[in-house]
Amino acid sequence: KDTVDIAAPGVDVMSTILNNQYKKYSGTSMATPHVSGVAALLKAYDPSLNYAQLKERLITTTKPLAALRGKTSNGLVSAYNALMNETGGI
């Protein structure tokens, strides 16, 4: 709980594999791209954000979920909240 700031979908995430097929994978390798994608989207939306500001925005705009209570120090990454700089909600 004290070391995980942001949660992201990471269980049974569909991924492409060889020969135009798909397979479900789980773990941080599946969750990390969600957070990285929101960070890239936010940086493209507001290029003036420095590293510390970007990190702070990602953390403070997470979506609280009851299922994550006690598992993360914040909540689920939210592209909408990050772009709108809204805490909680959607």
Side-chain angles (χ1 to χ4, degrees):
K1 166 182 166 177
D2 295 329
T3 59
V4 177
D5 290 319
I6 302 172
V11 177
D12 292 334
V13 177
M14 294 296 287
S15 184
T16 56
I17 61 173
L18 293 175
N19 300 318
N20 295 321
Q21 295 182 19
Y22 298 92
K23 185 174 179 181
K24 290 182 182 179
Y25 291 100
S26 298
T28 56
S29 294
M30 295 290 102
T32 301
H34 288 87
V35 178
S36 300
V38 173
L41 181 65
L42 184 55
K43 185 67 174 174
Y45 182 73
D46 187 351
S48 70
L49 292 173
N50 65 33
Y51 165 78
Q53 293 167 324
L54 185 65
K55 179 181 175 183
E56 180 70 15
R57 176 84 67 93
L58 288 171
I59 290 172
T60 60
T61 61
T62 58
K63 178 182 174 184
L65 290 178
L68 296 175
R69 194 169 295 132
K71 296 179 181 178
T72 71
S73 55
N74 292 292
L76 182 68
V77 68
S78 170
Y80 179 85
N81 286 358
L83 290 173
M84 297 298 115
N85 201 15
E86 292 185 8
T87 57
I90 297 173

